[in-house]
Amino acid sequence: MKTVSWAALLRGTVGMSALALSGISLCVTPALAQSAPPAPVDTQSSDAGSEDTIVVTGSLLSRADTDTPSPVTVISAETLDRAGVTNMADAIRQASADGAGSIGVGFTSGFSAGGSAVSLRNLGVSSTLVLVDGLRSANFPLSDDGHNSYVDLSSIPQVNLERVEVLKDGASSTYGADAIGGVVNIITRKQYVGIEGGAEAGVSEKGDGQKYRAHLLAGFGDYASQGWNVYVGGEYEKGGKVTADSRGFPFNTLDLRAIGGRDNNRADDTLTTPTTNAVVTRVTQTNLNNPLAGSVANATTPAVFNSLTPLASCQFGTFSENTSARVGTACAHDLTREYVQIMPPQERYAGVARFSFRVSDAIEGYVAGSYSHNKVDITLLPRGIRQNQAFGGSPATSTTNPGIVLPVWICPSGVNCANPATPGRTLNPNNPYAAAFANDPANGAARIYYLFGDVKAGSVRTNELYRITGGLRGTIGDTWRWNIEAGYSRDDLRLVQTGFANLNGLVQAINTGSYNFVNPSLNSQAVRDAVLPPITSLSNSQETTIDASISRSLFTLPGGDLQIAVGGQYRKEKLTNRSANPNLDVPGLSTAQAFGDRDVWAAYFEISAPILDSLEVNASGRYDSYSEGFSRFSPKIGAKFSPIREISIRGTYSQGFRAPTFAEIDPRSSFSGFVGFTPPAAFQAAHAANASYFAPYSVGRGFVGNPDIQPETSRSFTAGAVFEPTRNISFTVDYFNVKKQGLITAGPLAGDAIAAYYSVSGQTFASAAAASTAGCAAVAAVGAGYSCNVIDGADPFALNSLPRLLVVNAPYVNSAYDLTTGLQFGANARFDLSEDVRFESRLDLQATLIFNRHLANGQVQRFTGSVGPADLSSGGGTPKWRGNWQNTLIMGPLSLTATTYYVGSMKGVATDQGNLDTSCAATLYKDAAGGNSFCKINRFIYADLNATVEVNDKFSFFMFVGNVTNSKAPLYANTLYTTQPNYLASWHLPGLIGRTFRAGANFKF
């Protein structure tokens, strides 16, 4: 082995920095592109005993190369190692084809927070099929956005990964439902001999976000000579939290006045904004036994507010209001700075095993299994004592309408405490008005505004994925090839949510005085558990697959053998996603639930015809029948023409479908989703005396599974070319055009319905009830199935004005269609600069040209280059350009890699929020002057560097620097998901984390 001097190492490192910068400039140039390096042989799918043919994702037939009519990107394990990627979630989501609706673990406030998923071609996670070795896996038990199903990428082990194939084309003709946007096929090693492993540790430049990982894989048995091989492996990964406060302005606050924005932090200037230091104001109580029977109106004008916390004890100082509506002083807070996390702590471990065996010269088989355990610990803002009733529950259980109060008298029994004859009754120490109104308790109640800060608000989500597969394959004579595989997987989720008040426990604690609102730190654990008990819900999903196929060559054409394959498949899918709030006794807690059990039968075929040496035609089709009563045939045809060796032209046309998820089709399923909303100017003017009433808030939409819903259908075509001027250089360019019809949408006009409700804001009414009646009539006029579900209590400071809309009912419907088009570019290059020096380059880049949603009423919502569709998943938006470029310089034992990532600029507009305008005039966040200066979200570019030194053939060590230039995330004043303060978690997370460092060592024997 040759040695390399430290001077050479230094020169190499400097060179790689230059490569990183050049990578940035190349990524900005849309003329270059993405492609796949040659894929290693997939011996599981190839002919028994053959080592020179492979099966590429999207096909049933073996072939000699990876150049198919469909565009397929291959991401090798080596590529991921060079990029410093250590888990499957990061591995797959780095593909440039991952677009709108993508889910990362940094999105902690969604329905399925804790999971991670990919959305190819911007079509959503439920339109992207994820396979492991060609077989399906059980879905994450919680549905994204309450109804979209997906496979949790974080729960798939990486320790035995061979490569990832990303098919960026419709593939329902081969795999059935859900492969509209494309297919991600995670391919594992088939055999392994020896032992390899490694360990690493790292931390961010700020000293947080710690990361630890260890992995080990061991195998023995020479398959070629002994006819069997077995391996086992395991991995462990732990990541530390990153808080918003640690990253500073502007990502730690909703107050952007310092840069010309608005102050949307109401916890330091508005007495009716709840914080962890309770404030109260005096009101009447109509039922002295019921804390929910406080009045809407205040007892005095202006209302006088009192802090239960001594003002000298306010940790962050105080603020005062002295207006015609409110008078008082309270503790100041910036809740974003105090509680929001950019990245939650996560712990993951997994084990894998595989036994490959040869039964005879013509038959071979395998049995494989895996287990993964993924735990995410999420912290959110503390829960408020004032909450809407649970969705579906009685409005009488709401602690918001008209508002929960602290009574004058308390007693040990909590019943009839105002009666002088009740044993043990005392004046309420939590109520500062108690002594003055001891003889008039009906007029001395204290309406309370408070966040339960003494109990962690958030959840611990523990996901366990079990998977076992097995199969046999072989030949009959010299012509027939057959394959039988079966798989079973189960995903168990244990969700423990904390910080929510149980209504019965809360009422009892208030009436007995057991909960200390003056100094919550003095509450015993028993009291906290009685009022805010941990809420555990168990859910699971299951997937069983049996698949069999046969194939053979029929006859010889001028270009080679015509091959045909036919097969059949049976699948059973089950979901039990239990509500965390089945008794509807926890105000504010989601009641989302989904159930289902179905059988799927399918038959399929594929024909590959090399008509000429230069022309290959492929046709395939599949018929799927679902036990719910619907069926679908999905055809596909593709062709590849190579007039000369250096150029190939390819194209496909296909039809596909997405089956309704159990959340969408089963009438036992239901959910209510919430999205951020800023009331219009007329509403704000009517409630000018109460800023907290017109501050941005979350509007709920309620849905129930519709058994009459039909599958979404699609047609897609691709057209592209592959250029290979030399054996070491290749370029690809592909155009894609996908139309997804009959969209299963949860209230496509919900935004219009909400806007319709608020359209009456400027009118004069006799009462809040009359105003809401008029608003709800406007909602009903939007369309069938739209209606008001929950209306907020009247504003105490504007009793005749329109109250807020809290939940609107909206239907599941098949309506509208999505059209997405774009260009996929790729490039691969390898240069041997000398005997010991090699340079390799790989580029992956996508441009989304059109992503439009055509509504049933003829309107078109345009999303490209904006934060729309904001209602989809994390509201990450649709960047027009996204890509990555990896450059590696290998100098003897030293390998230096720079991986550069690019996300294009966007506008802060979203046409699914009630305004079809895509100009900056429709910016969701207005600056302090009411202007659009926050419209543009700048492009985001960052680079990771990795240096690996091979000490010898058995040992190597590496140093990884993430986001080496410490590029900052672009500012996005996020009004829709305030738990992502001023950034987009889907695309900009590395810019929030900042520069990171990792070092580790690997061994192989």
Side-chain angles (χ1 to χ4, degrees), residues 87 90 93 103-110 112-116 140 152 154 208-212 237-244 246-247 339-348 374-381 456-462 979-981 983 985-986 989 992-993:
N87 59 74
D90 292 341
R93 292 188 67 252
I103 305 173
V105 295
F107 181 51
T108 58
S109 60
S112 58
S116 180
F140 193 61
D152 177 29
S154 300
D208 54 10
Q210 299 85 352
K211 186 170 185 177
Y212 308 95
E237 184 173 79
K238 185 174 184 178
K241 70 178 179 181
V242 176
T243 66
S246 66
R247 292 313 183 257
Y339 293 100
V340 169
Q341 290 185 349
I342 291 171
M343 179 67 73
Q346 185 169 6
E347 183 178 42
R348 189 176 61 85
N374 188 30
K375 180 180 178 181
V376 182
D377 189 349
I378 295 172
T379 298
L380 300 171
L381 267 62
K456 173 207 166 188
S459 63
V460 175
R461 301 174 182 233
T462 305
T979 54
Q980 301 174 54
Y983 65 88
S986 294
L989 195 61
L992 273 296
I993 306 299

Side-chain angles (χ1 to χ4, degrees), residues 438-774:
N439 296 321
D440 187 14
N443 289 306
R447 182 194 296 137
I448 183 171
Y449 298 83
Y450 174 65
L451 300 180
F452 290 98
D454 58 329
V455 175
K456 173 207 166 188
S459 63
V460 175
R461 301 174 182 233
T462 305
N463 193 46
E464 294 182 302
L465 178 62
Y466 307 83
R467 179 181 170 86
I468 183 168
T469 59
L472 293 169
R473 68 183 184 276
T475 60
I476 302 174
D478 296 328
T479 55
W480 292 98
R481 299 175 297 275
W482 57 270
N483 185 68
I484 299 175
E485 288 187 287
Y488 172 79
S489 57
R490 178 182 173 108
D491 195 323
D492 288 338
L493 179 70
R494 177 183 175 87
L495 172 61
V496 181
Q497 300 187 74
T498 54
F500 283 103
N502 176 278
L503 185 61
N504 296 327
L506 177 61
V507 168
Q508 182 70 4
I510 288 175
N511 283 343
T512 62
S514 62
Y515 190 95
N516 189 333
F517 291 99
V518 175
N519 188 353
S521 65
L522 299 180
N523 288 317
S524 68
Q525 191 60 47
V527 167
R528 290 170 179 157
D529 289 343
V531 177
L532 304 106
I535 300 168
T536 300
S537 53
L538 304 176
S539 300
N540 68 80
S541 66
Q542 301 175 58
E543 179 86 29
T544 302
T545 303
I546 301 173
D547 191 282
S549 64
I550 58 173
S551 63
R552 64 164 294 172
S553 298
L554 294 180
F555 49 83
T556 301
L557 295 172
D561 290 343
L562 183 144
Q563 296 185 79
I564 185 171
V566 296
Q569 185 182 88
Y570 166 76
R571 295 202 320 273
K572 188 171 189 63
E573 302 173 349
K574 296 182 68 174
L575 173 66
T576 302
N577 173 19
R578 299 179 178 90
S579 170
N581 196 3
N583 299 322
L584 308 181
D585 57 355
V586 183
L589 178 60
S590 171
T591 60
Q593 59 185 16
F595 303 92
D597 185 347
R598 65 186 171 203
D599 300 305
V600 184
W601 296 89
Y604 53 81
F605 74 90
E606 181 179 353
I607 299 173
S608 177
I611 298 173
L612 303 169
D613 285 339
S614 59
L615 178 62
E616 171 190 350
V617 176
N618 182 281
S620 56
R622 176 174 170 132
Y623 179 81
D624 288 88
S625 177
Y626 281 71
S627 58
E628 285 111 331
F630 58 85
S631 59
R632 184 72 185 173
F633 176 70
S634 305
K636 182 175 182 177
I637 188 167
K640 185 183 72 169
F641 176 57
S642 305
I644 58 176
R645 186 195 67 80
E646 292 81 6
I647 298 177
S648 295
I649 300 171
R650 61 190 182 187
T652 65
Y653 173 84
S654 64
Q655 296 179 7
F657 73 105
R658 179 179 82 79
T661 66
F662 290 129
E664 295 164 339
I665 198 171
D666 196 300
R668 296 172 295 172
S669 304
S670 64
F671 87 99
S672 57
F674 291 83
V675 69
F677 177 75
T678 301
F683 182 88
Q684 296 183 31
H687 298 270
N690 190 359
S692 67
Y693 203 83
F694 62 75
Y697 75 106
S698 293
V699 180
R701 298 106 181 269
F703 312 94
V704 175
N706 178 4
D708 297 323
I709 209 78
Q710 294 298 305
E712 297 177 347
T713 61
S714 71
R715 70 102 185 102
S716 64
F717 63 84
T718 65
V722 180
F723 305 95
E724 191 175 0
T726 72
R727 292 291 184 184
N728 295 331
I729 301 175
S730 67
F731 302 93
T732 66
V733 58
D734 290 280
Y735 169 80
F736 62 88
N737 183 304
V738 184
K739 182 179 182 180
K740 187 166 71 166
Q741 305 174 84
L743 296 183
I744 301 174
T745 55
L749 301 178
D752 293 341
I754 295 169
Y757 177 84
Y758 282 101
S759 67
V760 305
S761 296
Q763 301 177 25
T764 302
F765 298 96
S767 66
S772 63
T773 298

Side-chain angles (χ1 to χ4, degrees), residues 261-349:
R262 293 178 177 269
D263 180 8
N264 283 333
N265 172 35
R266 297 274 76 89
D268 63 357
D269 61 10
T270 306
L271 291 165
T272 53
T273 297
T275 73
T276 53
N277 299 107
V279 297
V280 295
T281 186
R282 188 169 65 85
V283 297
T284 60
Q285 184 178 5
T286 58
N287 181 347
L288 299 183
N289 277 321
N290 184 8
L292 305 181
S295 66
V296 173
N298 299 294
T300 62
T301 302
V304 177
F305 284 77
N306 297 94
S307 171
L308 297 189
T309 301
L311 297 177
S313 300
C314 293
Q315 183 180 1
F316 305 104
T318 63
F319 72 93
S320 298
E321 275 195 275
N322 188 5
T323 68
S324 60
R326 287 183 301 279
V327 172
T329 301
C331 298
H333 287 269
D334 190 327
L335 299 171
T336 300
R337 180 177 287 112
E338 294 172 43
Y339 293 100
V340 169
Q341 290 185 349
I342 291 171
M343 179 67 73
Q346 185 169 6
E347 183 178 42
R348 189 176 61 85
Y349 54 82

